[in-house]
Amino acid sequence: MAGEPSLSPSRRESRQEALVVAGVLVVAMAIIALLVPYALPMIGVELIAALMIVVPPALAGLWLVPVFRLGPMPLRWHLLLGAALGTGSTSILVLLLGLVGILYSYVWLVILLLMGVSGVIRLRNLLGGSDTIAGELSLPGQKGTAISPWFWLAAAPFLAAALLAASNAPGMIWRQEGFGYDVLEYHLEMPREYFDAGRIFYAAHNVYANFPANVEMLYLLAMVVQRATVDAGVTANMIHLLFAGLTVFAAAAAGRDHSRGGAVVAGATTTACLWLVYLSGLAYVENAMLFYGMVAAAMLVRAGGSADSSRSNSPRGSLLAAGVIGGLACGCKYTALPLIVLPLAVIPLAVPAPSLTRGLKRGAIFLLATAATFAPWLLKNAAMTGNPVFPLANSVFHASPPGWNEECSVRWQEGHRPVEAERPPLARMRMLWDRTLGDPLQRLAWPIAVLPIAGLFARRRDRTDGALAAVLVLQLLIWIVFTHLYARFAVVFMIPLLLLVGRALGTRAASWRRNVAMALLLVSAAWGMFFAMNLFQSEAPGGVYGGIPASAIYEGEIPGYEYLGFVNEELPADARILLVGDARAFYVRHQVDYCVVFNACPFVEAVRSAQRPDRGPAVLAWLEEKGYSHVMVHWGEIRRLRNSAYGFPEEVNRELFEDMERAGLCKAREFRLPRSEAPYITVFLVP
């Protein structure tokens, strides 16, 4: 139209990308409205609450990007690095202020407001400057690698599925994860205990509190801002989901360094990986670990440069940024160190082709920067327990903090080894297949392996391709030899695989490669969606796929959680409860004491010190002395632990409680599952 200003190619591309993102959101919400309309209000409210925790730090992180002197970069890399540095530094800030007891709602609301305002100012400067355009690639042969960005609509069903999964209160899904047992045991339980105490402390009853907890710090921040604990559980799910979205963005941004088609294929393939949907229904840490690991790996690739990708203006700055963000991945989970950071150290050694001395220096820069941002968690553990990686490597550090002894260390080591049948080498190889490409749930499905392999053999390869392949091989070896073969530990394989997917379409890819990539992308989406539907149908046979509030659990309205209605609604307000067997205290509203199975348990010690025939009166006297009004025994959990590698003390059994009943302990209520004669929960009243 005459008089209308023409848009530059980059502006037109940005406008089109915005329309595509809006289209994906609209289609995803339409799917939810069609299938589970009652879930929409909760999704809207909780997603906004999660955005309040993630977006201000991500925007404020834009101010940290220039510290690394990376030179001109596309806007997407500013946003990506800002999100990684901002969220990670906020987690560390919550840790530091939490240790000194600054967990006040008004303080953190002001901090988040200042982060948001400062971040918006920085973003406006970037949008108005030229440094974000100068770093954009000039890609020849775009016609050969062009894939319509509207292929992103294939991500909409997966976004809808992830939102539905995240809208369930913790504890509702998934069966293979014990219905979020770890979430209720420590991922959310420890932030709740920190919130209730007003500070971060050493927990002698929960060894998992000594794990690095960058993501849990954001969950704690959500509780502080909302002034709520159990009702912030869905917000925590949504925070984890947002990190899944950032992982998709990271894969697409890395792919865009090679071609526009590479961005679409890498990003859409990431969404079709069912692990992200699965993990978004759990307030775990893997989505954030994947995000930080993906950004660290992509920055290492940029530091080296290659034939068909942009070379960073500052290789040393890129190495430092990669290391800092790699340390944030380690701050999410201990396993990130052997399964992400150490394999990624291959990249600076191999790309470009330096002398051995120069390669070692580059690798040292990366690892030292990693240590810098992992250090806060190591120092916390060293100060509280005497072992910086407690409870790992305790045979080296010999730490014996309160609640821990040599017996606990032995039980920990035995409990985290593969079961006997999985220890032979051939059995471990079989487990690799069964828990990756042969996974019945297809969370790490075969299309995510076919695309990068096809990309490697259908084009000219370079040293970066070889380095990424070496990263994958190292991850596979470490997973097979040094882990206890959990399927969830294998999500790290996504990092090199997805980066290779993004490289599958180079700057001069032939049209037949583009067509093959689009076909594989559509097959991946269809394959993933089929298994996503099966997963939801098997987990929700009654047709309840999402939108379940926490109140439905802590008020006892959900089958299997009826006992919580009795405990929370019918026991006196001043009740003090001892949990035996169970360690999921998250939904119990009263004062509650528990020990996870690995910690030394005072109740078990009291039982062991009591002698027959006076065992019942002696243990009952101990309960009275400690001020307990009720004891809740989870027989089902005790059976499960005894049948696992974790074990459970044999002294705690029905005969013990029968002795205590003869001494005066009273049954307040028993709960049985349908078609089961034996109770799975018994609540006792201490006279």
Side-chain angles (χ1 to χ4, degrees), residues 671-687:
F671 296 87
R672 290 175 170 81
L673 295 173
R675 298 182 297 277
S676 176
E677 295 182 2
Y680 75 97
I681 291 278
T682 303
V683 180
F684 292 96
L685 171 67
V686 179

Side-chain angles (χ1 to χ4, degrees), residues 383-566:
M384 290 183 172
T385 70
N387 175 354
V389 291
F390 187 80
L392 308 183
N394 216 37
S395 59
V396 176
F397 293 98
H398 303 290
S400 297
W404 198 260
N405 52 40
E406 187 60 31
E407 179 187 348
C408 298
S409 292
V410 172
R411 191 161 63 245
W412 176 272
Q413 293 171 5
E414 287 299 315
H416 291 82
R417 296 177 64 195
V419 297
E420 192 71 34
E422 297 176 357
R423 291 176 189 175
L426 288 178
R428 287 174 175 267
M429 294 298 295
R430 187 177 65 251
M431 289 301 102
L432 174 63
W433 169 262
D434 291 344
R435 292 168 187 180
T436 54
L437 299 183
D439 177 13
L441 301 179
Q442 284 295 285
R443 291 163 295 187
L444 190 68
W446 66 265
I448 200 176
V450 169
L451 273 165
I453 293 173
L456 281 175
F457 288 98
R459 62 181 172 83
R460 184 176 180 180
R461 295 169 295 280
D462 59 23
R463 295 181 66 87
T464 302
D465 295 317
L468 290 173
V471 169
L472 178 61
V473 170
L474 282 173
Q475 288 179 327
L476 289 168
L477 290 174
I478 293 169
W479 187 91
I480 291 171
V481 176
F482 296 107
T483 75
H484 46 306
L485 310 179
Y486 275 14
R488 186 159 31 97
F489 288 5
V491 297
V492 297
F493 303 161
M494 292 171 60
I495 295 171
L497 286 171
L498 290 169
L499 290 178
L500 286 170
V501 168
R503 297 171 61 81
L505 293 178
T507 56
R508 292 182 174 87
S511 59
W512 69 268
R513 282 174 55 193
R514 176 200 62 194
N515 295 334
V516 169
M518 289 190 293
L520 287 173
L521 172 59
L522 292 176
V523 170
S524 299
W527 183 270
M529 206 60 242
F530 173 79
F531 282 95
M533 292 170 61
N534 285 346
L535 177 63
F536 273 87
Q537 288 173 358
S538 65
E539 290 283 336
V544 180
Y545 300 105
I548 307 301
S551 59
I553 294 182
Y554 62 69
E555 291 176 1
E557 298 175 4
I558 302 297
Y561 289 109
E562 294 92 345
Y563 66 94
L564 287 172
F566 171 74

Side-chain angles (χ1 to χ4, degrees), residues 58-69:
L59 289 173
L62 293 171
W63 289 103
L64 299 176
V65 177
V67 171
F68 297 95
R69 299 183 179 181

Side-chain angles (χ1 to χ4, degrees), residues 29 32 35-47 50 159-174 230-241 277-283 536 543-553 558 587:
M29 290 301 176
I32 295 172
L35 297 177
V36 195
Y38 59 82
L40 279 175
M42 174 179 287
I43 289 173
V45 170
E46 299 295 347
L47 190 56
L159 175 58
L163 286 167
L164 285 174
S167 67
N168 288 291
M172 283 295 299
I173 53 176
W174 306 99
V230 295
D231 291 312
V234 176
T235 304
N237 287 345
M238 292 293 177
I239 291 171
H240 202 219
L241 179 146
V277 173
Y278 188 86
L279 291 168
S280 294
L282 299 159
F536 273 87
V544 180
Y545 300 105
I548 307 301
S551 59
I553 294 182
I558 302 297
Y587 285 118

Side-chain angles (χ1 to χ4, degrees), residues 175-195:
R175 185 175 290 106
Q176 194 174 103
E177 297 295 328
F179 296 98
Y181 191 102
D182 289 356
V183 174
L184 304 180
E185 183 185 37
Y186 71 97
H187 287 296
L188 290 181
E189 173 58 22
M190 287 315 304
R192 175 197 166 168
E193 293 182 32
Y194 297 150
F195 176 85

Side-chain angles (χ1 to χ4, degrees), residues 77 293-305 312 315 318-323 326 340-341 343-349 351-352 362-363 365-367 370 464 468 471 499:
W77 278 105
M294 187 79 72
V295 177
M299 287 304 296
L300 287 175
V301 171
R302 288 179 65 87
S312 170
S318 295
L319 289 168
L320 286 170
I340 294 179
V341 169
L344 287 184
V346 169
I347 299 177
L349 292 176
V351 184
R362 290 162 63 90
I365 292 172
F366 169 67
L367 293 176
T370 294
T464 302
L468 290 173
V471 169
L499 290 178

